[in-house]
Amino acid sequence: MRRSLVLVAVLVVAGALAAVVLRRPAAPPPPPTVTALVSTPASDAGLTDDEVFSASMARLAEAKRRADAELAAERVAAATARPPAVEASDAGGLAHGSG
């Protein structure tokens, strides 16, 4: 009789555990992966690499053109500038050391 009471107790405990385990709600679904979001191209992603490169090259060409124009203007200004004229009386006075 003692064995049957132990068997009943074991079956009651096993039934209680089964009821607890089976009543638990299912685990929530895992969050969506990030790679799925990245692989989808966005419609307003901005400029492409080629467009950025082209714009950069255009800015570089414009800066070079401006630098060349400034250099040409400086050369013209240097060519037309004359050194200050030295008066003959001053040159003669300095040469003789009078004063």
Side-chain angles (χ1 to χ4, degrees), residues 9-22:
V10 169
L11 290 176
V12 169
V13 170
L17 285 175
V20 169
V21 169
L22 294 177

Side-chain angles (χ1 to χ4, degrees), residues 5-75:
L5 288 176
V6 172
L7 181 61
V8 170
V10 169
L11 290 176
V12 169
V13 170
L17 285 175
V20 169
V21 169
L22 294 177
R23 286 187 67 196
R24 285 183 25 196
T33 59
V34 177
T35 56
L37 297 175
V38 173
S39 65
T40 307
S43 60
D44 60 345
L47 299 175
T48 64
D49 289 344
D50 291 337
E51 291 169 334
V52 171
F53 181 75
S54 296
S56 178
M57 289 294 109
R59 285 192 301 271
L60 183 63
E62 178 63 21
K64 185 175 183 330
R65 186 193 62 76
R66 286 182 187 165
D68 290 344
E70 289 176 6
L71 182 62
E74 288 175 5
R75 287 183 179 168

Side-chain angles (χ1 to χ4, degrees), residues 72-99:
E74 288 175 5
R75 287 183 179 168
V76 168
T80 58
R82 296 183 183 171
V86 178
E87 294 183 17
S89 62
D90 285 343
L94 292 175
H96 296 290
S98 61

